[in-house]
Amino acid sequence: MTPTPAVGKDTMHQNPPPPTTTTVTVAYAGGDERRGPVTMGQANMIRCILRDDPTHINIHDVWPVPEGTTSAAVTDALRALAVRHEGLRTTFPHPPGAAPVGQVVSAEGTFTVTVLDHAELPGDPAEYAESVARAARAGRFALDREFPVRITLLTVAGQPAYVALAFSHAVADGSAMAILREEFAELLAGKELPGLTSLPPVDLAAVEASPAGLRKSEASLRYWERILRTGPQEMFAEPRGRRPGTDEEARQLTLRSRRGARALAGAARRTGHPEATVLMAAWCALVAHRAGQDSCVTAVPSANRFHARVARSVTTTSQDALLHLDVRVETFDALVARTWGAVLNAYRHSQFDSVRLWEMIDRVTAERGSHFGRDVVFNDVSALPAPLLGTDAQERDDAEQELTWGPPQALPTRLLAFTYRTAPQLHISLWAAPSVFTPEEAEGFLSGLVLLLEAAAAGDVPMKALAEVTGVRPAERGPDWLRVDGCWVSPDAVRETLGRAVGGLPVRVQVTETSGAEPYLTAYIALGDTSLTPTEAHRALTALIPAAGSGVLAPHRYVLVENPPTEPDRSDAWRRLNTIDEGTGRSRQV
């Protein structure tokens, strides 16, 4: 095989000698051939794979190779992992235009390893390896035939240094990559891997399809529906906010803090609750405080690995646990106590039929006249084996506290956090949407989290003192913003969006406030010669809400009149007009 120059990989050095590329085909055999339906997690991720940009949905990791390891030892370890884990030998046959419903596990097959051999690794070797792995995410995996891992071996004068990998999210998630990384290192060290204790995907799908599994899924859907019908539709509802339907590019901000680790351990000892619960309570308290909300709704993706049968499965279990935590308590200790039960409840309801979930989300949000935003994601992987350390895989435990900025990536949420370690440092990476957080505000948020933990380690913290304790200020909203149905709403934004939805017809949104009840929104629409029904107006508005500005919910009622009054800025003038038709807007029927 004649080596050929690699293209597009070497970007971290000014004038590096070009690496050479060879492709090695690795055969494996010894597993069992199996077939079965897809798991709920696989179905969820396949839905995203078929819809989303591959660079967003594919995932990657970098595995350091110990000095002195041969290339043959690396390929032998990779072969052993393929034989050991059915998920790595899985494809998803399906006819064109249809989503896969089944999976096939091969007993034998091949995969390729692209070897990039360098005279020296360019720039920062770990960052270079990261860039190679990230570049391999480009291009959609062929679910029906492609080996679900793209493998690049980086060598220096033939000596392996790193394995850069890109995975199909249909067969692996962050936890699975961590397990594989750990086992890869143990194989290279000559250790014998223990027997598998968690279910492979085909068996997991059978458990999910059992009567008990179906009951669990139904209970999860009911749990989600209650939150979708009653919780805030967007955590960061404020004038400068943007809807989750519009992705932004956000830079990675990483906190490494020995102070934070000591404070978290101290707060856990003082309150008598696990560190994970205290950290979750602090996260939710600060998110809700910054957002000016009475509750925090946050997705917790890693939560569904708490059961032994999936804890170490090499598959994707990527289904959100959805935590809805009411923060209306007097003190932080009271919130920690409340968090424990709320987190367990969310974990119990993190297994569901994702197709039915999205059908329910579409139905409920159309009835409510809203758009549920996955605004906040908190992924605590600190308890997992060999946790992934993000773009910087090097151990740096000496920082008392430091904040460093990393590369940008597309962000389909408003606030995403990964907790990689809690000791000896608190190590968190944060991606905060620039439309909601300036760089200074993002840094202040992570610093404020440490300050809250330090205060909680010293004693109970009044929830009213969060701004003083953390330095984090709540969102600023104009006087026209108000709470409607548990959500922050801007009547002006509702009027503007409804006007666009009905083709520019004159619109007036009236706010009715009564003692002891939330405000009530009525939309008046002057039809002129246009034919329109309240149902059509509501449908047109809800179609625009996902891409509209922040603070838009449908009115409770639509009132259709012929012509606008001579004083269109007076609500009483609209009320005196003859009504052509009227009907209900948002519905909260359960």
Side-chain angles (χ1 to χ4, degrees):
M1 184 181 304
T2 302
T4 56
V7 178
K9 298 291 189 185
D10 198 352
T11 60
M12 306 299 290
H13 195 280
Q14 289 184 346
N15 293 297
T20 57
T21 301
T22 55
T23 301
V24 177
T25 299
V26 181
Y28 62 85
D32 295 325
E33 182 174 340
R34 307 181 69 197
R35 294 175 180 267
V38 296
T39 68
M40 292 179 179
Q42 288 171 332
N44 186 41
M45 294 319 303
I46 287 171
R47 177 181 180 274
C48 299
I49 288 168
L50 296 176
R51 178 195 64 195
D52 296 345
D53 185 326
T55 60
H56 297 174
I57 194 62
N58 294 337
I59 55 178
H60 73 280
D61 194 17
V62 174
W63 299 348
V65 179
E67 188 175 349
T69 305
T70 65
S71 294
V74 171
T75 54
D76 285 346
L78 293 169
R79 179 188 293 110
L81 292 176
V83 174
R84 175 176 170 85
H85 296 291
E86 292 185 4
L88 300 183
R89 296 183 275 115
T90 296
T91 54
F92 303 90
H94 60 100
V101 295
Q103 57 184 310
V104 174
V105 181
S106 298
E108 58 185 29
T110 62
F111 59 86
T112 59
V113 178
T114 301
V115 182
L116 295 184
D117 191 38
H118 306 72
E120 60 176 309
L121 291 178
D124 182 318
E127 288 186 11
Y128 170 66
E130 167 79 13
S131 72
V132 173
R134 185 178 291 274
R137 289 167 60 158
R140 207 176 304 275
F141 277 90
L143 294 171
D144 59 339
R145 62 184 183 278
E146 185 177 355
F147 188 74
V149 191
R150 296 168 184 158
I151 306 169
T152 304
L153 175 61
L154 305 181
T155 62
V156 180
Q159 175 65 46
Y162 295 95
V163 182
L165 309 101
F167 289 80
S168 166
H169 218 331
V171 304
D173 54 17
S175 301
M177 290 195 301
I179 293 164
L180 290 169
R181 178 200 279 200
E182 179 187 55
E183 294 185 348
F184 176 75
E186 291 181 348
L187 287 168
L188 293 185
K191 297 180 182 178
E192 184 176 345
L193 298 181
L196 297 174
T197 57
S198 294
L199 297 178
V202 172
D203 293 335
L204 180 58
V207 170
E208 292 174 343
S210 69
L214 294 176
R215 287 194 299 271
K216 186 178 181 67
S217 178
E218 290 296 326
S220 296
L221 293 175
R222 290 193 297 271
Y223 169 87
W224 275 69
E225 184 166 354
R226 285 194 299 272
I227 296 173
L228 292 171
R229 288 192 181 277
T230 60
Q233 290 297 285
E234 48 177 336
M235 284 302 297
F236 297 105
E238 52 188 274
R240 60 178 173 169
R242 288 165 60 181
R243 278 289 182 171
T246 54
D247 290 1
E248 298 181 63
E249 195 169 76
R251 292 179 64 196
Q252 180 181 9
L253 175 62
T254 297
L255 167 77
R256 291 181 176 85
S257 175
R258 283 184 170 270
R259 283 175 49 193
R262 289 194 302 268
L264 178 58
R269 284 193 303 269
R270 192 189 63 75
T271 61
H273 285 275
E275 288 187 7
T277 303
V278 174
L279 183 58
M280 181 67 77
W283 168 263
C284 288
L286 202 56
V287 168
H289 166 71
R290 165 61 181 79
Q293 300 279 13
D294 290 338
S295 63
C296 175
V297 177
T298 184
V300 191
S302 63
N304 42 18
R305 282 187 177 264
F306 72 100
H307 197 286
R309 66 171 173 247
V310 292
R312 292 188 63 87
S313 289
V314 173
T315 185
T316 184
T317 62
S318 291
Q319 293 186 278
D320 286 342
L322 189 66
L323 174 63
H324 184 205
L325 182 62
D326 190 331
V327 300
R328 289 174 294 182
V329 291
E330 292 294 323
T331 68
F332 182 71
D333 284 9
L335 184 65
V336 174
R338 176 177 290 183
T339 301
W340 173 251
V343 168
L344 288 180
N345 204 25
Y347 285 7
R348 283 196 297 266
H349 296 102
S350 61
Q351 177 187 310
F352 44 78
D353 182 326
S354 60
V355 174
R356 290 190 58 203
L357 176 73
W358 282 103
E359 290 173 348
M360 182 268 289
I361 290 175
D362 290 343
R363 182 183 74 253
V364 169
T365 54
E367 292 171 0
R368 197 180 183 193
S370 60
H371 177 76
F372 171 69
R374 191 173 178 263
D375 268 7
V376 183
V377 181
F378 186 77
N379 207 350
D380 185 349
V381 297
S382 62
L384 297 176
L388 306 176
L389 296 181
T391 58
D392 183 359
Q394 300 181 57
E395 297 287 343
R396 296 215 306 271
D397 293 336
D398 57 338
E400 186 67 8
Q401 181 151 312
E402 68 175 12
L403 288 166
T404 56
W405 286 95
Q409 71 176 49
L411 187 70
T413 67
R414 301 283 77 86
L415 197 65
L416 166 65
F418 272 79
T419 299
Y420 297 115
R421 288 184 297 168
T422 57
Q425 289 180 323
L426 182 60
H427 179 180
I428 299 176
S429 284
L430 182 79
W431 291 261
S435 66
V436 180
F437 290 83
T438 65
E440 294 75 18
E441 287 172 330
E443 291 180 354
F445 186 88
L446 282 181
S447 298
L449 185 66
V450 173
L451 291 170
L452 175 56
L453 292 172
E454 289 180 328
D460 202 358
V461 179
M463 293 293 285
K464 291 182 179 180
L466 286 182
E468 178 184 353
V469 169
T470 67
V472 175
R473 304 296 171 188
E476 295 182 1
R477 301 180 180 92
D480 61 313
W481 284 70
L482 64 159
R483 288 186 191 273
V484 176
D485 194 19
C487 305
W488 280 106
V489 177
S490 166
D492 284 345
V494 175
R495 175 187 52 77
E496 188 275 333
T497 307
L498 179 57
R500 285 193 289 117
V502 297
L505 294 174
V507 171
R508 172 73 177 181
V509 174
Q510 176 189 327
V511 178
T512 303
E513 300 189 61
T514 58
S515 178
E518 285 193 334
Y520 185 92
L521 298 182
T522 302
Y524 292 87
I525 305 174
L527 299 181
D529 297 329
T530 304
S531 174
L532 185 71
T533 67
T535 299
E536 290 169 341
H538 181 71
R539 188 180 300 121
L541 174 61
T542 55
L544 287 189
I545 286 177
S550 188
V552 179
L553 265 73
H556 295 83
R557 198 157 194 81
Y558 298 89
V559 177
L560 308 183
V561 299
E562 185 174 0
N563 294 305
T566 55
E567 298 178 278
D569 294 334
R570 292 171 58 94
S571 293
D572 58 344
W574 286 86
R575 287 196 299 268
R576 288 195 294 268
L577 298 174
N578 291 330
T579 299
I580 298 174
D581 196 4
E582 60 181 313
T584 301
R586 293 182 298 109
S587 168
R588 291 181 59 183
Q589 301 172 13
V590 176

